[in-house]
Amino acid sequence: MIVQSMVRNAVLLGIFAVIGTGMVALTHENTKTRIAENLRQALLANLHELVPPDTYNNDIIKDHITVTDQAQLGTADPVPVYRARKDGTPVAAVLTPVAPDGYNGDIKLMVAIRYDGTILGVRVLAHNETPGLGDAIEISKTPWVTSFNGRSLNNPKPAKWHVKRDGGVFDQFTGATITPRAVVKAVHKCLEYYMSNRDALFSKGEHKGKPAA
Amino acid sequence: MTSPSYSSIIRDGLWSNNPALVQILGLCPLLAVTATVVNGFALGLATAVVLVCSNVTVSLIRGIVKPEVRIPVFVMVIASFVTAIELAMNAYFHELYKILGIFIPLIVTNCNIIARAEAFASKNTVSKSMVDGIATGLGFTLVLMLLGAMRELIGRGTLLTQASLMFGESAKWMTVTVFDHYNGYLLAILPPGAFLGLGFLIALKNVIDDRLKRRALAQQAAQAHPAGAV
């Protein structure tokens, strides 16, 4: 009697597990191409904000490699490097370094650097900074992050790659110095990483392009 | 237990047994995502859809499922619906999905849903369970939106920002900037603002209930002693 009811319940649970899993599998089948396309479009939209689409003609999303350098890129995880080329000539690289020393944890950045080492643009992808203070690093809140545009390792001089309070050229925010300080540092380190690995970054991977010397 | 009428089901879900204001269930998403109206609306709607689906399913199978295994079965039903809805939101409302993030899968743990399954759907007909799901879901959504509106208005000085995430590009006009050049009031956007806001809403509901009760009592008294003007 007890065995019978146990078997009955087990079978019942099994049936519901199968139906539930089946429903999830069906939804997954029907949505997976759309989800993949969404992710692609979202990434492309981010990239295009920094690298104008008419300046390159390769498949920038496919043409990427991953690199790992915790000291320079702020994360132990592999960081994708998207490479823009025009007719095989390197145009720009887009890296997504992390500023690990934000006020409230990691700040994920996207940094686009022209082949010659000047910054095309910087965007903040994700952060947990204080709303109303540290979140001024978001382009939708203030244009602060555009102050990196056109900068390079020697513009300003290395000693000036800091927020103003630390004797540099970049503004800090009222009530929030730690956040911009972390971002400035991460962008600078990312630039250093790019300049010392530039040719390897562009030549590595399956889509080989001729680096213009 | 006698089966409740449709009107009492609706009244319970929306007002007298409102999941957020009276039962205080599902607070985790309630407090976390209500920084704007649109976020609150989206999560409320997702929760309501799950609630209706799970209520209907649980009611359909109420004759088959033995009491000993009902909880695991309910959990499985709810988890399946939530996962399906999470995938669907990722596919069709990708930006919104990114904002709501972890709180969509967390709908599984919203005790409100399993509470309705256990307390209502497993004992009532399919159509009544559906109405209960709609009413309770709507009651929850309305509180999320109201709280979102309060926090957005005080915190940012706008209403319905990012409406385009939910209703497409054509909905940009829906965003209302109520106060121009408003610097924002940080407390409202941060978690304490959610607690305070919810507290005020509950207080407001209690005040209204109290008033209604007193008025009803006064009417009763007036009917009992039509001549005696007290």
Side-chain angles (χ1 to χ4, degrees):
Chain A
M1 190 55 194
I2 281 189
V3 174
Q4 208 183 9
S5 92
M6 275 168 68
V7 170
R8 218 191 100 102
N9 283 341
V11 169
L12 202 71
L13 269 180
I15 290 172
F16 277 106
V18 170
I19 295 173
T21 315
M23 194 177 78
V24 170
L26 201 72
T27 321
H28 175 67
E29 274 308 307
N30 283 319
T31 52
K32 71 176 177 194
T33 45
R34 216 184 148 116
I35 290 173
E37 179 60 21
N38 279 343
L39 290 173
R40 212 187 98 89
Q41 288 300 338
L43 177 61
L44 210 55
N46 276 338
L47 291 171
H48 280 171
E49 242 186 75
L50 300 178
V51 185
D54 52 343
T55 58
Y56 71 93
N57 58 10
N58 64 328
D59 184 345
I60 189 168
I61 290 188
K62 239 188 193 158
D63 192 357
H64 80 273
I65 52 168
T66 52
V67 294
T68 313
D69 189 329
Q70 184 162 16
Q72 292 299 101
L73 299 175
T75 170
D77 297 328
V79 171
V81 181
Y82 300 95
R83 298 167 297 183
R85 306 172 199 271
K86 184 133 198 167
D87 304 324
T89 313
V91 173
V94 182
L95 293 87
T96 49
V98 171
D101 41 10
Y103 184 70
N104 199 11
D106 287 356
I107 303 171
K108 279 192 78 178
L109 300 169
M110 184 176 253
V111 180
I113 308 169
R114 246 186 237 110
Y115 183 72
D116 65 8
T118 54
I119 290 179
L120 265 170
V122 176
R123 290 292 181 274
V124 175
L125 296 180
H127 71 86
N128 291 310
E129 302 305 294
T130 319
L133 294 174
D135 68 352
I137 52 175
E138 284 176 38
I139 189 81
S140 59
K141 302 267 159 52
T142 72
W144 177 80
V145 83
T146 58
S147 60
F148 290 110
N149 293 3
R151 301 285 183 186
S152 63
L153 273 189
N154 274 315
N155 170 29
K157 292 270 173 268
K160 292 277 178 188
W161 260 96
H162 295 290
V163 292
K164 283 183 178 150
R165 174 179 287 183
D166 302 339
V169 298
F170 297 101
D171 282 328
Q172 61 258 338
F173 313 131
T174 315
T177 313
I178 294 172
T179 308
R181 186 186 281 153
V183 174
V184 170
K185 194 167 134 197
V187 171
H188 188 233
K189 277 187 167 179
C190 177
L191 258 182
E192 286 176 347
Y193 176 83
Y194 172 82
M195 288 316 278
S196 43
N197 296 284
R198 179 170 69 177
D199 291 322
L201 284 179
F202 277 105
S203 60
K204 236 166 71 178
E206 71 267 44
H207 293 264
K208 281 209 164 164
K210 282 175 233 147
Chain B
M1 185 181 133
T2 52
S3 180
S5 69
Y6 284 105
S7 60
S8 79
I9 297 173
I10 294 172
R11 201 175 331 114
D12 267 359
L14 288 180
W15 185 261
S16 45
N17 203 17
N18 184 295
L21 293 183
V22 181
Q23 305 180 61
I24 326 273
L25 288 179
L27 277 198
C28 162
L30 187 88
L31 299 175
V33 304
T34 53
T36 67
V37 182
V38 171
N39 289 2
F41 180 57
L43 193 86
L45 207 59
T47 311
V49 171
V50 173
L51 198 54
V52 172
C53 293
S54 84
N55 258 11
V56 168
T57 314
V58 166
S59 177
L60 272 174
I61 59 175
R62 72 188 189 281
I64 316 168
V65 180
K66 295 271 162 212
E68 302 85 43
V69 289
R70 69 182 195 286
I71 299 291
V73 169
F74 293 169
V75 170
M76 230 159 2
V77 167
I78 295 166
S80 307
F81 280 122
V82 170
T83 314
I85 281 174
E86 187 196 353
L87 288 169
M89 280 194 77
N90 192 349
Y92 298 101
F93 299 102
H94 187 69
E95 291 293 313
L96 209 52
Y97 169 82
K98 278 199 289 190
I99 294 175
L100 296 179
I102 185 71
F103 293 102
I104 303 172
L106 273 183
I107 294 174
V108 174
T109 65
N110 190 328
C111 26
N112 194 16
I113 294 171
I114 199 156
R116 293 326 289 167
E118 168 77 6
F120 194 95
S122 63
K123 294 172 190 139
N124 285 287
T125 61
V126 175
S127 56
K128 283 195 173 161
S129 302
M130 195 165 93
V131 173
D132 178 71
I134 295 171
T136 312
L138 212 61
F140 189 61
T141 309
L142 286 176
V143 174
L144 282 176
M145 285 176 72
L146 205 58
L147 197 54
M150 284 167 57
R151 293 178 67 192
E152 192 181 334
L153 192 66
I154 299 172
R156 296 166 202 253
T158 60
L159 275 178
L160 288 163
T161 41
Q162 299 177 310
S164 55
L165 297 185
M166 185 101 201
F167 309 104
E169 285 301 303
S170 55
K172 282 235 160 88
W173 59 270
M174 288 169 79
T175 301
V176 188
T177 306
V178 182
F179 309 120
D180 270 332
H181 311 293
Y182 185 62
N183 285 329
Y185 184 56
L186 204 51
L187 181 70
I189 300 174
L190 294 177
F195 282 103
L196 288 172
L198 184 67
F200 282 124
L201 281 182
I202 294 173
L204 182 71
K205 182 192 176 290
N206 288 346
V207 167
I208 294 176
D209 273 348
D210 210 35
R211 287 256 166 91
L212 289 176
K213 209 163 145 193
R214 254 188 251 166
R215 193 178 300 167
L217 279 178
Q219 259 171 10
Q220 264 180 8
Q223 273 165 4
H225 313 281
V230 186

